[in-house]
Amino acid sequence: MYTLTSSSDFVSDSLLKFVESTGIAGFFTSMGWGSVAMICVAFFLLYLAIRHKFEPLLLFTIAFGMLLTNLPGANLYHTELFADGHVHWDIFVANAGLLDYLYLGVKLGIYPCLIFVGVGAMTDFGPLIANPKSFLLGAAAQIGIFVTFLGAFALGFSPAQAGSIGIIGGADGPTAIYLTSMLAPELLGPIAVAAYSYMALVPVIQPPIMRALTTQKERAIKMRMLRPVSKLERILFPIIIAVIISLLLPSAAPLIGCLMLGNLMKECGVVDRLSKTVQNELMNIVVIFLGLTVGATATAEAFLNFRTLGILVLGVLAFAMGTASGVLLAKLMNLFSKEGNKINPLIGSAGVSAVPMAARVSQTEGVKADPSNYLLMHAMGPNVAGVVGSAVAAGILLSFLG
Amino acid sequence: MNMLIVTGWGWSEMLWVALISICLVFFVLVLLVFIMKLFGFVFTRRAAAAAPAGAPAVVQGQLHEEEIAAIATALKLYRGALHDRESEVLTIMNIKRAYSPWNSKIHSLTQLPDKK
């Protein structure tokens, strides 16, 4: 039988337990300030995505994943289940939250590859087939990856972490996520945020570098019209590329294979339903899962440190160096080209993937130099070559550091 | 914070990996340039062989500004003429009068006596 005193104790104990179980109480623990700071970062990213439309499809979902994972007590994501770079299956089912289950798609390298199927189905490789020299510009733009790789090592990151940071320079979100989830999963949150933020900032980062490295006369170069590409060439291209690259670099096979699978679906014309599905429904679903779970890895412990600051600085340097090396190689190629076959160096910057934003930047800068100059289709060549190049670079890094 | 993870890798290993990686990226993509060039050569020759004898060669050149402006204007006019606003005229295609004893004319009139 309860006395009045014991009843009041029971009520106060119950209320205390309830208050302690709320998320609000979590803000007053040792890492509570970190959660508050990360929630503010998530709000800021949501603001950038919604108000300024900075890569909204991914930044929006990443920001929301970041918000969910930093709400104290929600227990949607547990870093300890993925500690030391592998999944702890023995404690997984008993402890996993919703985002832990969804994160398996990132951890096992499934989402980036599925996104590449969709990217392939949406990409027109025609300009690259018509002008294969574009592959060289796509290769040059990858130099930023390896210079940043060395820069990150100089700052004290391990080789695997340095490789993951360097790949930001490839300006290819799925590739960066794929490589980081394999080499340095502990850096996935900051690297994904840096990669997608800088991809959104391509129109801000690239033009000053492009203008600084070219003259007015070079920017006004008009390129020869591309030859028409037959349907058979378009069908054979993805098959040949997938076979050659997979044989030379098996570690790049998942990314290149999926990219070319999507492209073949589009070009062959007999599986329209599949092509439309991977371009729309599948792509959208995977983007939601990928964004949420990558955002969820950005916990206060993983994000709020000097490493993140270093990654953000190195990321922008990687982008800048990729842009510069693409432009400089185009200028070098012009030294050996005949009059009439010259390349407008502005298309070199499009070698840093970021499809099609980087090609649009080349077009915009070209029009500023000469309003009658149309560079978009020419820039699409190096742009899609950059996608292939960054996947190849990721494969090489994976085979050396994985 | 422990950023430096001991891996046994020093600067010489890192420099070699970076150098070899750059060379490999260029090697793979230059190989693709040659393959695609060969590919393009074969296909342009096939197209030339398939063209009827004596037909004038098609020369691809940069479009003139006026031509680009004309194409852009034509596209603009075409898009402008596309049906993007409803006519706001509603046409009633079908009127369905559901039968009910409450709106039945025959039931609302006084029945004449049956003279049979």
Side-chain angles (χ1 to χ4, degrees), chain A residues 132 135-136 139 146 149-150 153-154 156 222-223 225 227 232-233 236-237 240 244 307 372 374 396 401, chain B residues 3-4 7 9 11 14 20-22 24-26 29-33 35-36 39-40 43 61-62 65 68:
Chain A
F135 271 120
L136 294 177
F146 300 105
F149 168 65
L150 294 175
F153 186 69
K222 284 191 177 177
M223 292 179 66
M225 200 172 170
R227 73 173 174 85
L232 185 59
E233 282 178 275
L236 289 176
F237 176 81
I240 290 173
I244 290 174
R307 285 194 315 193
S372 67
Y374 292 87
I396 291 169
L401 308 169
Chain B
M3 290 202 309
L4 186 63
T7 59
W9 281 42
W11 271 105
M14 290 295 286
I20 294 169
S21 301
I22 292 171
L24 275 175
V25 169
F26 270 93
L29 295 188
V30 167
L31 183 70
L32 292 180
V33 171
I35 291 168
M36 294 316 297
F39 203 56
F43 275 89
Q62 175 85 44
E65 287 96 88
I68 293 165

Side-chain angles (χ1 to χ4, degrees), chain A residues 66-139:
Chain A
M66 196 183 279
L67 175 67
L68 290 177
T69 201
N70 286 292
L71 290 172
N75 288 325
L76 289 168
Y77 176 76
H78 303 83
T79 43
E80 62 272 18
L81 297 180
F82 305 99
D84 306 324
H86 48 85
V87 186
H88 294 270
W89 294 109
D90 48 334
I91 53 168
F92 193 85
V93 177
N95 298 291
L98 172 68
L99 295 180
D100 293 311
Y101 285 106
L102 295 180
Y103 181 67
L104 287 174
V106 177
K107 189 70 206 155
L108 303 174
I110 297 168
Y111 298 152
C113 294
L114 288 180
I115 288 208
F116 254 45
V117 178
V119 170
M122 287 195 276
T123 304
D124 177 12
F125 282 103
L128 183 60
I129 302 170
N131 185 14
K133 277 192 288 186
S134 303
F135 271 120
L136 294 177
L137 299 174

Side-chain angles (χ1 to χ4, degrees), chain A residues 228-386:
Chain A
V229 177
S230 69
K231 188 177 175 183
L232 185 59
E233 282 178 275
R234 287 174 185 274
I235 291 173
L236 289 176
F237 176 81
I239 300 171
I240 290 173
I241 298 290
V243 171
I244 290 174
I245 294 186
S246 302
L247 288 177
L248 287 174
L249 278 170
S251 50
L255 289 173
I256 291 290
C258 288
L259 182 73
M260 295 303 158
L261 167 69
N263 189 249
L264 186 60
M265 280 181 187
K266 171 180 171 258
E267 298 298 353
C268 72
V270 294
V271 286
D272 271 351
R273 278 170 50 188
L274 301 187
S275 173
K276 281 179 188 155
T277 302
V278 295
Q279 286 180 44
N280 299 292
E281 291 85 353
L282 181 70
M283 184 84 162
N284 293 340
I285 290 167
V286 177
V287 162
I288 294 169
F289 290 167
L290 182 77
L292 270 179
T293 49
V294 166
T297 61
T299 54
E301 297 84 13
F303 205 89
L304 295 177
N305 50 48
F306 285 110
R307 285 194 315 193
T308 304
L309 200 63
I311 289 167
L312 292 174
V313 172
L314 288 164
V316 76
L317 285 176
F319 250 74
M321 277 184 287
T323 304
S325 42
V327 172
L328 290 174
L329 186 77
K331 286 173 67 125
L332 184 69
M333 285 164 75
N334 275 347
L335 295 178
F336 304 99
S337 305
K338 291 179 202 154
E339 201 58 49
N341 269 347
K342 298 264 186 205
I343 297 168
N344 190 315
L346 293 177
I347 71 165
S349 65
V352 291
S353 309
V355 183
M357 187 87 85
R360 274 196 224 136
V361 171
S362 301
Q363 160 73 13
T364 312
E365 290 302 306
V367 165
K368 279 183 195 164
D370 178 354
S372 67
N373 205 356
Y374 292 87
L375 291 175
L376 188 63
M377 284 316 284
H378 299 290
M380 280 307 290
N383 209 191
V384 293

Side-chain angles (χ1 to χ4, degrees), chain A residues 129-201:
Chain A
I129 302 170
N131 185 14
K133 277 192 288 186
S134 303
F135 271 120
L136 294 177
L137 299 174
Q142 311 310 318
I143 288 174
I145 293 176
F146 300 105
V147 178
T148 311
F149 168 65
L150 294 175
F153 186 69
L155 282 184
F157 288 95
S158 71
Q161 291 173 333
S164 303
I165 295 166
I167 203 72
I168 298 174
D172 194 337
T175 306
I177 290 171
Y178 181 79
L179 188 70
T180 308
S181 65
M182 300 286 167
L183 292 182
E186 69 279 8
L187 298 183
L188 193 55
I191 286 179
V193 169
Y196 282 108
S197 306
Y198 292 141
M199 276 164 66
L201 289 173

